Amino acid sequence: MPTYTAPTKDMQFVLHDVLNIAGSDIPGYADLEPDFTSAILEEAGKISAEVLQPLNAVGDAEGCALENGVVRTPQGFKEAFEQVKAGGWPGLDMPEEFGGQNMPYVLNTAVGEMFSAANQAFTMYQGLTHGAASAILAHGSDEQKHTYLPKMVSCDWTGTMNLTEPHCGTDLGLMRTKAEPQDDGSYKLTGQKIFISSGEHDMAENIIHLVLAKIPGGPEGIKGVSLFIVPKFLVKEDGSLGARNGVSCGKIEEKIGIHGNSTCVMNYDGATGYLLGQQHKGMRAMFTMMNEARLAVGMQGLAQAEVAFQNALDYAKDRLQGRDVTGVKNPDGPADPLIVHPDVRRNLMDQKSFTEGARAFTLWGAMLIDQAHRAGDKDADGLISLLTPVIKGFLTDQGYDMTVQAQQVYGGHGYIEEWGMSQFTRDARIAMIYEGANGVQALDLVGRKLAQDGGKHVMAFFDLVKSYIAETKGQDADFDRDFLDPLKAASKDLQAAGMYFMAEGMKNPNNALAGSYDFMHMFGHVCLGYMWARMGKAAREALDGGTGDPEFYATKLATGRYYMARQLPATALHLARIQSGAEPVMALEAANF
């Protein structure tokens, strides 16, 4: 059976040695001293390893069952949910006014990685609730906030987002769910939504659905979409639960992975709903959830890659296969362990260098969110808006690939369910699809985010990388060669791709759109290269200063050199593809495929 150990030491390194969170002027960060964050991360790691991880295989094998309109979650889930609630984990970064602990989002992100790595399907129940609560917090009336948030922050009530319908996913302007105005100011919602994660279950006394629907007579398409709060049970004025609302689960979707999460078809039959935000401005309110969810999904890609890597590494150290070509390493055994072989090392280094770089990238992104929200920094908000599709798209694509590579270390045993490795791959697969499929993320990045505010934010990113290289260069020749020179070359590739889009995209938009996916991956590699340069600098300084664990820092430098030498040069390949334009992509007529 797979195991999981929370990477708290690496998280502490990123938070304090690299990001220096305690030294930041972001409100609330002064309290984030190493001892304080260590206590929280260690406790979260303990729950992850001892409570959530043992239920991961259980949830995968049992799945959820729909019985008489009620979804039964897998054995042990309800008890584990009570433990998570008792620890206050769902409200870690939510306002104290509603029962939260008001911690920075960066800390919530680190905890989220551990919980997701231990049991992604389980963690989605509270994760979706957090997103729904954030949307109500941002767009709800005072009455709505006080009615729903205290119970949602505690996860006594959970939440969902309802967007997709059988005939429309990405193109939400085609939705058919209607919201008829009532005399009392409420609405009656009728329609069907599909793929609703945590849509119905037995772990909470109420479920607060956030539902996109159209008010009759409103504008056509996406401009006519509004967002509604639709509780499973109506809430009385005194806060107690009233009658069952006209919303029900029609079926549970059968899917590749995340079996422990109830992905439901939800039927709305004249259900009572309450407008959240303004009429016909539903997408604005929903995107409060979507942007948060996209960052969390990127983190899920990292999380599944991390737990898969941990188990592949253990297997590679234990499994005896063949002899080292340079000489026997295990003379007392019939063969040497797998890890002596260069191609197995390459496989494991791909995984290790990705997960550690992705962790730093994700935590930096979370810090930018804190800077935007807690400090009101519009530049930070613009930068994280630019990086969100990269975090979501690149980390989930690469995260999935790393779970496949982890399976490969096992050979045939990686394909056998008994060893548990396939679950990581199956669970990681959804992250490339939900909260906006990765192709859409790439289109959003190139078609919208690059030009946002006149290209201000992408230029700020280039300046950030350029300034870092200039400030750091010349202190250590080896570091310049191993870290800064590759980062500079990759950043130039990214800028060249941007220039190509500006020059050719105006002539033919397909030239930009055909290269969007490559650009997203190129951008992701540059971001990880930037984070590896920052981590390498922090590790080198710690070694020079004789502080901490020298083996940890030396290992960090070696892992960073691997990424810069073996992964970052992929930007040249992506640039070549982008500069080939749309012609090779669009050459065939649809009938000739």
Side-chain angles (χ1 to χ4, degrees):
M1 291 291 291
T3 60
Y4 174 67
T5 302
T8 53
K9 185 173 184 177
D10 198 53
M11 289 178 174
Q12 285 284 91
F13 167 74
V14 173
L15 291 173
H16 297 288
D17 293 43
V18 180
L19 299 177
N20 187 26
I21 56 172
S24 169
D25 59 2
I26 298 173
Y29 271 46
D31 297 329
L32 301 182
E33 294 291 342
D35 287 347
F36 178 76
T37 58
S38 176
I40 292 173
L41 296 180
E42 291 296 334
E43 186 60 29
K46 186 177 178 182
I47 292 172
S48 299
E50 297 178 5
V51 178
L52 304 186
Q53 193 278 331
L55 293 175
N56 199 36
V58 174
D60 188 52
E62 289 187 11
C64 297
L66 178 61
E67 299 173 359
N68 300 319
V70 177
V71 171
R72 306 297 178 192
T73 50
Q75 185 176 356
F77 270 43
K78 288 177 74 171
E79 294 78 9
F81 202 61
E82 290 304 314
Q83 283 187 255
V84 169
K85 286 166 56 180
W89 296 106
L92 189 67
D93 67 326
M94 298 300 283
E96 291 178 275
E97 178 185 1
F98 302 112
Q101 299 176 53
N102 202 34
M103 298 286 183
Y105 182 68
V106 71
L107 205 55
N108 188 68
T109 300
V111 170
E113 183 202 324
M114 291 185 270
F115 284 4
S116 292
N119 196 325
Q120 180 173 317
F122 174 92
T123 302
M124 288 170 63
Y125 290 98
Q126 69 203 52
L128 269 295
T129 305
H130 188 283
S134 294
I136 294 173
L137 185 64
H139 302 284
S141 65
D142 287 342
E143 181 183 357
Q144 288 173 334
K145 291 176 189 177
H146 286 93
T147 298
Y148 299 106
L149 289 182
K151 292 288 191 179
M152 294 178 74
V153 167
S154 67
C155 267
D156 289 334
W157 300 351
T158 59
T160 70
M161 61 169 81
N162 287 234
L163 294 83
T164 307
E165 299 183 7
H167 60 284
C168 71
T170 302
D171 191 355
L172 291 170
L174 299 175
M175 72 174 57
R176 296 171 184 158
T177 300
K178 299 295 183 188
E180 298 278 356
Q182 304 299 300
D183 292 340
D184 63 358
S186 68
Y187 293 77
K188 292 294 184 184
L189 275 74
T190 303
Q192 185 179 79
K193 299 290 184 176
I194 63 171
F195 306 157
I196 308 307
S197 301
S198 314
E200 168 63 35
H201 60 86
D202 58 359
M203 298 197 298
E205 60 188 13
N206 203 6
I207 301 174
I208 310 304
H209 302 288
L210 296 194
V211 186
L212 286 177
K214 289 184 174 180
I215 300 170
E220 290 295 316
I222 201 68
K223 293 181 179 179
V225 172
S226 301
L227 183 62
F228 300 88
I229 298 173
V230 185
K232 175 181 174 180
F233 289 97
L234 297 173
V235 182
K236 298 179 182 177
E237 286 189 14
D238 64 1
S240 63
L241 297 184
R244 176 71 188 257
N245 206 354
V247 52
S248 61
C249 173
K251 64 173 282 193
I252 300 174
E253 305 283 10
E254 293 186 21
K255 50 195 189 295
I256 293 174
I258 54 169
H259 295 155
N261 194 269
S262 52
T263 306
C264 300
V265 173
M266 301 301 297
N267 296 318
Y268 293 86
D269 301 303
T272 298
Y274 308 95
L275 184 68
L276 179 59
Q278 299 176 319
Q279 282 192 3
H280 317 310
K281 302 291 184 183
M283 290 309 297
R284 177 173 171 266
M286 182 60 86
F287 264 96
T288 300
M289 292 177 68
M290 291 293 286
N291 286 331
E292 178 183 301
R294 284 170 178 171
L295 287 159
V297 170
M299 178 266 293
Q300 287 177 352
L302 154 64
Q304 294 308 301
E306 170 66 30
V307 66
F309 165 66
Q310 288 187 18
N311 286 277
L313 177 61
D314 289 343
Y315 187 84
K317 289 179 177 179
D318 291 340
R319 178 74 167 179
L320 302 181
Q321 291 284 286
R323 289 295 190 188
D324 188 334
V325 294
T326 64
V328 172
K329 295 296 187 293
N330 180 31
D332 296 330
D336 290 330
L338 278 172
I339 201 166
V340 306
H341 303 302
D343 192 61
V344 174
R345 290 286 186 98
R346 172 204 56 79
N347 185 320
L348 293 170
M349 288 296 284
D350 280 353
Q351 296 174 60
K352 181 176 174 63
S353 63
F354 167 74
T355 56
E356 293 179 15
R359 177 171 300 115
F361 184 24
T362 304
L363 292 175
W364 176 48
M367 189 174 178
L368 287 172
I369 289 178
D370 280 331
Q371 195 172 332
H373 293 175
R374 288 173 169 256
D377 189 329
K378 286 186 166 42
D379 289 337
D381 190 53
L383 183 56
I384 191 57
S385 178
L386 170 72
L387 295 177
T388 292
V390 183
I391 292 172
K392 196 282 183 183
F394 180 69
L395 296 192
T396 59
D397 276 354
Q398 292 290 100
Y400 175 80
D401 286 348
M402 294 307 147
T403 66
V404 173
Q405 290 195 204
Q407 275 187 301
Q408 193 72 13
V409 172
Y410 280 71
H413 287 145
Y415 198 68
I416 302 299
E417 293 294 342
E418 176 187 353
W419 288 80
M421 292 300 289
S422 77
Q423 184 184 353
F424 304 134
T425 303
R426 289 185 285 104
D427 286 358
R429 185 65 184 90
I430 185 57
M432 302 161 71
I433 300 170
Y434 61 14
E435 312 308 344
N438 286 355
V440 176
Q441 301 299 322
L443 295 179
D444 177 49
L445 174 64
V446 171
R448 199 161 65 92
K449 297 294 176 62
L450 286 185
Q452 198 167 17
D453 295 329
K456 173 183 176 181
H457 306 301
V458 72
M459 294 308 298
F461 175 80
F462 288 136
D463 287 344
L464 191 68
V465 174
K466 185 177 179 181
S467 297
Y468 180 80
I469 293 171
E471 292 164 5
T472 311
K473 198 169 182 63
Q475 299 173 22
D476 183 304
D478 290 342
F479 186 81
D480 292 353
R481 181 193 66 236
D482 296 340
F483 286 87
L484 300 184
D485 292 347
L487 176 59
K488 183 177 181 180
S491 182
K492 283 186 173 181
D493 285 343
L494 187 63
Q495 291 177 66
M499 294 298 291
Y500 174 82
F501 289 155
M502 288 178 62
E504 300 296 328
M506 298 298 290
K507 301 174 188 175
N508 178 4
N510 280 343
N511 281 327
L513 300 183
S516 61
Y517 212 91
D518 280 286
F519 187 81
M520 179 178 72
H521 273 251
M522 179 191 283
F523 210 147
H525 277 298
V526 173
C527 287
L528 260 64
Y530 172 57
M531 298 316 298
W532 267 118
R534 291 181 64 176
M535 287 191 286
K537 180 174 182 285
R540 190 198 67 192
E541 288 174 349
L543 280 173
D544 291 346
T547 59
D549 179 355
E551 186 176 9
F552 174 86
Y553 295 123
T555 299
K556 186 65 68 175
L557 280 166
T559 307
R561 288 190 195 100
Y562 180 89
Y563 193 87
M564 306 307 263
R566 300 277 304 206
Q567 294 296 322
L568 196 53
T571 57
L573 169 64
H574 290 302
L575 178 60
R577 288 173 173 169
I578 289 168
Q579 291 177 336
S580 72
E583 187 176 349
V585 176
M586 306 301 292
L588 291 182
E589 295 295 330
N592 295 333
F593 269 83

